[in-house]
Amino acid sequence: MSDLTEHVDVVVVGGGPAGLFAGLTAARAGLDVRVLEAGGDMSASLCPRVVARLRGQKVRDVEKFRLQCPRCDCLTGLGGAAFHFDTNLGYISSLTRSKIERAEDGRTRSYSGLERALGDFDRAQGLVAEVYETFFALGLPQVEVHENTLASGGQAFEHVDTAPSQSVTVDVALVMIDALRAELEADRGRILLHHNVDGVVPLPGGGFAVSAQTPDGPVSLTADSVVVAVGKLGLPWVRDLVDTAGVRHRGAGRVDVGVRLETAAEDMAPLIDGCHNPKLSFLNDRGESVRTFCVCEGGRVMQYSFLGAVVLDGQHCINQPTQRSNMGVLTTMNVPEGEDGTEFARGFAATVAEHGGGKPVVCTVDELRGGPEHEGKLATSLIDYRHASLRECLPASVVSDVLEMVDRLNSSNPGLVPGHATVAAPVVERLFPDLELSPDMESSVPGLFFVGDSSSKIIGITYGAATGIAAARAIARDREAVSGGVR
């Protein structure tokens, strides 16, 4: 039995960006904090190919380096899934309202998910700036920020966001995570690896009982506050927690579903040369937003198991770029009345996976249009997939949205997406139940906070870290108010 029987001020569940920044902020405020991470240390959780490169070993030539395992299992561990690969941190100079929706008056309006989560744009922008300040202090190299431009194409979309962002490589991330851990544990904080939390129970007199499974057996502790900071893979556990703890929530009313669009890097270069990660959006004829997402220049498409199916994501390959680039094309679909958004997204992914025999499904743009079957090998970075027309397993509305995005991209830069470019599915985002949270990320159960992906409000490294800071600061303020006799 572990020594985790004491009472602590804060327990953070999950050691990704949101959880680490929540833990660091709590530790800086003098609170006794425990960050419980189900996986191991970041360096022990990396893909063997990445480890080989970091050690200076010759893995494969650049083009063959894109080959990955049939399904990635290197998505857990300290630092979270995002830091296990070269990645994009997001906005660096200022926060923007990068998403669009149809307002009640029928007009198109832009918004920031972080602004809505935290209740104020200036507050959200200030926390993002603070996240970057912390990253720089932890070892992230500062780069000169140049205003991005998009040479053409603005007229093809209802909204174009070219805000500068910054990338980070795995070797730099390792330095940052080690430095963050050292500071967090310099006083009363501790990060406990291989602690898979299986229970968070509100106590009658306030606070929580937290239980976890470890290689040495079950452990338990109590805490005044709990910050839930798990990523997408923790969705089933979060759904159980909000039900058992009585957190006020409802099924997600909107979910992001779509595909990864991939073509030769030289084809997509005219779009990316003016902006590292352009965000291009339009509203379809149902008033739903269709947007580009996670543009990976010289990257590859990866797959992993999720919700009993398989889903795709984009991987940045900054140190070992491939000869291809890819981007997500997502539709923020309105879930039919009476349906649960999580189950709707699960059904979307399961339908594609069933059609693919448990594998993602890939076809060319021409095949998606209903053209003849492509002869020969597809130009995709995936190595374990089924070649079949996505018209057979995607909703007709999603097919229409993807083709309209292709047409708009090609109208802005002719030849940007040729007919032999590939389309791979499924991609799903924004799956968590729609939780009722305060601007400090506190749920209807006092002392229980949800940050990062699990908040249901935002995704991404800097956004997640910002919500972690907000939650920890609220806990520290409440602790100070109680200590000062205010309450």
Side-chain angles (χ1 to χ4, degrees):
M1 179 71 68
S2 164
D3 65 350
L4 282 183
T5 56
E6 84 251 61
H7 179 84
V8 297
D9 298 321
V10 187
V11 165
V12 179
V13 183
L20 288 174
F21 270 73
L24 178 64
T25 304
R28 286 176 171 177
L31 300 181
D32 192 5
V33 58
R34 299 290 183 271
V35 178
L36 275 54
E37 164 58 41
D41 188 71
M42 181 178 168
S43 59
S45 306
L46 293 175
C47 172
R49 296 176 184 273
V50 176
V51 173
R53 180 187 61 75
L54 292 174
R55 291 175 177 171
Q57 299 171 334
K58 183 176 181 180
V59 184
R60 296 176 184 271
D61 62 10
V62 171
E63 177 60 13
K64 290 183 178 180
F65 185 87
R66 65 183 169 80
L67 300 180
Q68 76 274 23
C69 302
R71 196 160 297 173
C72 183
D73 60 359
C74 299
L75 298 173
T76 60
L78 199 63
F83 277 132
H84 280 65
F85 304 95
D86 296 345
T87 191
N88 190 331
L89 291 175
Y91 301 110
I92 184 171
S93 59
S94 62
L95 185 65
T96 64
R97 295 181 173 99
S98 63
K99 296 182 179 180
I100 61 171
E101 64 184 3
R102 181 69 50 80
E104 292 78 6
D105 60 7
R107 292 185 295 180
T108 300
R109 66 182 174 199
S110 60
Y111 68 96
S112 162
L114 186 63
E115 171 189 18
R116 289 187 171 177
L118 299 177
D120 180 83
F121 185 86
D122 290 338
R123 181 189 186 206
Q125 181 162 261
L127 285 175
V128 168
E130 187 173 341
V131 169
Y132 267 106
E133 290 173 4
T134 302
F135 277 141
F136 293 142
L138 294 172
L140 177 68
Q142 287 191 309
V143 297
E144 185 177 355
V145 178
H146 298 282
E147 195 62 34
N148 286 332
T149 61
L150 200 58
S152 60
Q155 69 278 7
F157 297 92
E158 293 180 61
H159 189 63
V160 175
D161 181 7
T162 61
S165 58
Q166 179 166 340
S167 297
V168 60
T169 56
V170 173
D171 44 354
V172 172
L174 284 165
V175 172
M176 293 194 302
I177 299 303
D178 285 347
L180 189 154
R181 182 176 186 177
E183 181 179 348
L184 190 155
E185 295 185 330
D187 192 7
R188 303 170 66 195
R190 288 178 64 192
I191 293 176
L192 301 170
L193 304 175
H194 303 296
H195 280 62
N196 190 5
V197 175
D198 57 4
V200 175
V201 180
L203 298 174
F208 302 87
V210 180
S211 58
Q213 298 299 319
T214 80
D216 296 325
V219 299
S220 62
L221 69 161
T222 59
D224 295 329
S225 301
V226 171
V227 179
V228 176
V230 301
K232 188 187 295 184
L233 296 180
L235 170 61
W237 179 78
V238 170
R239 295 182 73 189
D240 290 341
L241 172 61
V242 297
D243 286 336
T244 58
V247 175
R248 286 198 292 269
H249 68 283
R250 59 184 179 183
R254 298 191 296 181
V255 295
D256 289 342
V257 298
V259 304
R260 298 296 305 187
L261 182 64
E262 185 175 25
T263 187
E266 61 185 17
D267 291 334
M268 203 174 289
L271 176 70
I272 303 174
D273 284 349
C275 178
H276 183 70
N277 186 27
K279 302 175 184 67
L280 314 172
S281 307
F282 65 88
L283 296 178
N284 61 23
D285 56 8
R286 298 173 304 282
E288 298 166 333
S289 170
V290 184
R291 62 190 174 93
T292 61
F293 170 76
C294 183
V295 179
C296 298
E297 179 181 7
R300 59 186 173 95
V301 182
M302 63 177 294
Q303 58 176 297
Y304 57 95
S305 298
F306 184 63
L307 293 178
V310 57
V311 296
L312 304 176
D313 207 340
Q315 182 179 332
H316 298 269
C317 300
I318 299 169
N319 275 323
Q320 295 282 349
T322 73
Q323 296 177 11
R324 298 187 177 93
S325 294
N326 70 83
M327 67 172 71
V329 177
L330 294 180
T331 298
T332 302
M333 294 190 70
N334 297 315
V335 177
E337 189 70 29
E339 289 193 34
D340 175 77
T342 303
E343 292 304 316
F344 181 85
R346 184 202 297 266
F348 175 89
T351 298
V352 178
E354 181 179 358
H355 190 69
K359 302 177 182 180
V361 177
V362 186
C363 69
T364 67
V365 169
D366 284 343
E367 289 173 317
L368 191 66
R369 293 189 190 279
E373 181 177 345
H374 179 82
E375 296 184 5
K377 182 176 174 58
L378 294 178
T380 175
S381 55
L382 286 168
I383 62 171
D384 191 37
Y385 62 90
R386 182 190 173 194
H387 177 191
S389 174
L390 284 167
R391 297 176 67 90
E392 301 170 5
C393 55
L394 290 182
S397 60
V398 173
V399 172
S400 176
D401 291 341
V402 173
L403 291 176
E404 182 172 354
M405 176 62 77
V406 168
D407 290 341
R408 288 174 182 251
L409 288 169
N410 282 332
S411 71
S412 65
N413 289 281
L416 188 78
V417 186
H420 60 265
T422 57
V423 183
V427 177
V428 291
E429 299 288 348
R430 284 175 45 151
L431 300 166
F432 283 86
D434 186 6
L435 306 182
E436 181 180 309
L437 301 178
S438 75
D440 290 323
M441 315 308 293
E442 187 173 19
S443 73
S444 59
V445 177
L448 181 59
F449 296 74
F450 291 81
V451 299
D453 285 12
S454 59
S455 71
S456 74
K457 313 302 181 188
I458 57 93
I459 58 176
I461 293 176
T462 53
Y463 277 19
T467 58
I469 294 174
R473 288 231 171 104
I475 293 170
R477 286 196 306 269
D478 185 67
R479 176 65 175 252
E480 184 178 355
V482 171
S483 299
V486 177
R487 285 175 46 183

